[in-house]
């Protein structure tokens, strides 16, 4: 009877999770309402992600809710962090994942609290243990503290239903449900997140830059203005310099000379 909130990014794992849980829901007669929720990162996203998640909602016949950070998008958040304290690196990182906390988890939690004043809610996410050591240690079920309010009789759980799946399981599930995935995978991406994610592989960063050049140029402009490289010892501007205006390349070159 709990409401089921499926957190979808447009990536293969949340797609597979969605298909898997909707199939289970139909087979087992789960009674609670079901929703898709997508945290929109704005200009940092692949240019076709929003259209893709809308299409996923159409194909699955599940209502979709798009949520956003209240002060702009991820690029705005990076600039805000720099202007708040220019003495510290402004980029998200594995250690400082404010991109996830501020622009994904926070807006989704705000939507859950507003949509479900009371009752039981299960927020399902497509995180898999195989992806990283940190994800392998995550609990499959946990209380979503910022959405749980005993005085309001609202319990919210995080659930990782495909935590033990291998990547082959993910693709088999997608193939069994129409073999439709985000276009970035057909273009060569290994994983899908932002167009140029600080945790992404070089392959995915190159692909993101080539197919999302405006986003790439804006991220490189942040390097040029702030003097902070995209990752420690890794300048995003070096990947596809031909896509950048001369002033960006020149500014980054000056910063690199100071290293």
């Amino acid at each position: 009877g709990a409401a089921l909130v499926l957190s979808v990014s447009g990536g293969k794992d949340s797609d597979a999770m969605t298909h898997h849980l909707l199939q289970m829901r139909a087979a087992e007669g789960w009674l609670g309402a079901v929703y898709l929720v997508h945290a929109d990162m704005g200009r940092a996203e692949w240019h076709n992600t929003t259209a893709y998640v809308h299409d996923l909602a159409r194909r699955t016949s599940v209502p979709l809710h798009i949520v956003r950070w209240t002060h702009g998008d991820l690029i705005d958040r990076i600039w805000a962090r720099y202007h708040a304290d220019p003495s510290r690196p402004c980029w998200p990182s594995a250690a400082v994942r404010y991109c996830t906390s501020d622009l994904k988890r926070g807006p989704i939690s705000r939507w859950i609290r507003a949509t479900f004043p009371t009752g039981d809610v299960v927020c399902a996410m497509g995180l898999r243990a195989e992806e990283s050591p940190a994800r392998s240690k995550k609990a499959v079920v946990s209380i979503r503290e910022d959405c749980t309010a005993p005085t309001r009789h609202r319990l919210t759980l995080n659930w990782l239903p495909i935590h033990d799946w291998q990547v082959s399981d993910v693709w088999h599930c997608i193939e069994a449900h129409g073999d439709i995935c985000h276009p970035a995978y057909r273009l060569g991406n290994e994983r899908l997140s932002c167009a140029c994610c600080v945790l992404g592989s070089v392959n995915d960063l190159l692909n993101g830059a080539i197919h999302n050049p405006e986003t790439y140029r804006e991220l490189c402009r942040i390097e040029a203005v702030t003097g902070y490289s995209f990752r420690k010892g890794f300048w995003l501007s070096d990947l596809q310099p031909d896509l950048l205006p001369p002033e960006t390349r020149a500014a980054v070159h000056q910063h690199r000379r100071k290293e």
Side-chain angles (χ1 to χ4, degrees), residues 32-44:
V34 60
Y35 306 87
L36 302 181
V37 63
H38 171 68
D40 183 6
M41 309 288 273
R43 290 168 292 170

Side-chain angles (χ1 to χ4, degrees), residues 216-232:
Y216 176 68
R217 280 189 279 269
E218 182 61 18
L219 293 172
C220 292
R221 190 170 78 87
I222 295 174
E223 287 186 322
V225 171
T226 68
Y228 291 110
S229 59
F230 184 67
R231 293 197 293 235
K232 185 175 177 60

Side-chain angles (χ1 to χ4, degrees), residues 78-249:
I78 296 169
W79 281 118
R81 185 175 171 85
Y82 171 69
H83 291 306
D85 185 359
S87 68
R88 66 178 179 179
C90 53
W91 298 99
S93 66
V96 186
R97 294 190 66 172
Y98 65 81
C99 50
T100 299
S101 60
D102 292 0
L103 282 94
K104 292 185 179 181
R105 187 166 60 245
I108 290 174
S109 290
R110 187 172 65 247
W111 177 81
I112 290 173
R113 292 192 298 268
T115 305
F116 307 100
T118 60
D120 296 332
V121 183
V122 175
C123 184
M125 296 169 284
L127 277 64
R128 295 184 301 109
E130 182 186 45
E131 292 182 294
S132 70
R135 291 191 171 185
S136 70
K137 297 172 185 174
K138 286 188 175 293
V140 172
V141 178
S142 61
I143 293 176
R144 195 175 182 107
E145 299 285 356
D146 62 356
C147 293
T148 294
T151 57
R152 293 174 180 261
H153 306 288
R154 181 181 61 225
L155 171 66
T156 306
L157 300 177
N158 290 325
W159 182 27
L160 310 181
I162 64 168
H163 191 248
D164 61 346
W165 283 27
Q166 303 298 303
V167 68
S168 58
D169 300 321
V170 170
W171 285 117
H172 288 153
C173 182
I174 289 172
E175 289 166 4
H177 289 85
D179 200 20
I180 300 171
C181 63
H182 192 289
Y185 293 109
R186 308 300 187 195
L187 293 170
N189 259 53
E190 300 160 354
R191 297 172 69 175
L192 182 96
S193 51
C194 289
C196 293
C197 174
V198 291
L199 302 179
S201 66
V202 171
N203 172 82
D204 288 0
L205 289 172
L206 278 168
N207 213 30
I210 291 167
H211 296 287
N212 303 271
E214 290 303 320
T215 296
Y216 176 68
R217 280 189 279 269
E218 182 61 18
L219 293 172
C220 292
R221 190 170 78 87
I222 295 174
E223 287 186 322
V225 171
T226 68
Y228 291 110
S229 59
F230 184 67
R231 293 197 293 235
K232 185 175 177 60
F234 180 95
W235 293 84
L236 189 64
S237 304
D238 289 343
L239 282 182
Q240 286 289 313
D242 291 346
L243 294 176
L244 302 176
E247 58 270 24
T248 298
R249 295 199 302 267

Side-chain angles (χ1 to χ4, degrees), residues 9-111:
S9 65
K12 64 184 186 301
D13 294 335
S14 63
D15 277 14
M17 175 199 74
T18 296
H19 297 314
H20 174 61
L21 292 187
L22 292 179
Q23 187 173 24
M24 286 182 65
R25 183 173 182 266
E28 299 181 9
W30 298 354
L31 298 178
V34 60
Y35 306 87
L36 302 181
V37 63
H38 171 68
D40 183 6
M41 309 288 273
R43 290 168 292 170
E45 296 263 23
W46 267 77
H47 65 87
N48 43 13
T49 292
T50 300
Y52 179 79
V53 294
H54 275 287
D55 184 64
L56 177 66
R58 180 192 60 77
R59 287 185 281 117
T60 57
S61 299
V62 176
L64 170 68
H65 297 270
I66 305 283
V67 299
R68 297 177 178 88
W69 186 51
T70 53
H71 303 293
D73 62 14
L74 178 55
I75 289 174
D76 293 316
R77 182 68 183 90
I78 296 169
W79 281 118
R81 185 175 171 85
Y82 171 69
H83 291 306
D85 185 359
S87 68
R88 66 178 179 179
C90 53
W91 298 99
S93 66
V96 186
R97 294 190 66 172
Y98 65 81
C99 50
T100 299
S101 60
D102 292 0
L103 282 94
K104 292 185 179 181
R105 187 166 60 245
I108 290 174
S109 290
R110 187 172 65 247
W111 177 81

